[in-house]
Amino acid sequence: FSPAVRGTQVQVNPPPPPPRVWTGQLPAYYGRGTACTQANANLIAIAMWDVGANDAQVLRMLKIISRESGCDSSAFNGNRRTGDDSWGFCQINSLAGFFSSGGILEGYNRWAFAGDPRSNAKACAKLYSVCGFGPWNYGNYYCRRP
């Protein structure tokens, strides 16, 4: 900080930073469902950037989300025969213990993901920040960076 000098122009109220938006690829969807909307891609990108991900990692997460849920924050797979109790964008399996007391996502409410896609995106990013992309491997429901 330096003092103002008479005769020089100072900016008292700087403009707000530009909104953060995902300007990269919107991956195609797989199977039934829809591709990510720009709004959901923005939520997911912002959550990922907030945990230190770069654009390549954001794109990889968008591809995973497209594959897992069709980019639908209300997606649910409760097929216990296949070992599923999976919720939201990333189809985070609650049987893996991520939402339980002491779990990585203990403070997140998987039942609210449908109505709160921002929280859903943050949960995906939180799990990524601790585990990398490891939890998305079939049968690999423990947390270990690959």
Side-chain angles (χ1 to χ4, degrees):
F1 180 77
S2 60
V5 177
R6 183 179 291 272
T8 61
Q9 190 175 26
V10 293
Q11 190 170 6
V12 177
N13 294 317
R20 296 187 295 170
V21 295
W22 176 249
T23 57
Q25 175 188 354
L26 291 175
Y29 68 94
Y30 296 87
R32 297 179 304 172
T34 60
C36 282
T37 63
Q38 185 66 52
N40 281 345
N42 291 342
L43 290 176
I44 294 158
I46 290 167
M48 291 290 288
W49 291 327
D50 285 349
V51 298
N54 62 35
D55 286 353
Q57 292 160 328
V58 171
L59 180 58
R60 184 172 178 188
M61 181 62 83
L62 288 170
K63 287 178 178 180
I64 288 169
I65 287 171
S66 177
R67 178 76 179 205
E68 290 291 331
S69 68
C71 208
D72 179 359
S73 67
S74 68
F76 171 68
N77 180 356
N79 187 347
R80 296 296 178 104
R81 289 182 299 139
T82 60
D84 279 299
D85 185 21
S86 301
W87 298 81
F89 285 136
C90 294
Q91 289 294 280
I92 302 169
N93 194 332
S94 62
L95 298 177
F98 297 124
F99 297 103
S100 61
S101 179
I104 296 166
L105 301 175
E106 177 181 6
Y108 290 88
N109 180 353
R110 62 189 175 269
W111 296 291
F113 283 173
D116 190 357
R118 176 170 286 133
S119 175
N120 191 180
K122 287 181 179 184
C124 292
K126 171 68 176 178
L127 194 57
Y128 163 78
S129 75
V130 176
C131 302
F133 288 110
W136 318 122
N137 295 329
Y138 176 76
N140 179 8
Y141 292 122
Y142 55 91
C143 180
R144 180 177 61 89
R145 285 188 175 270

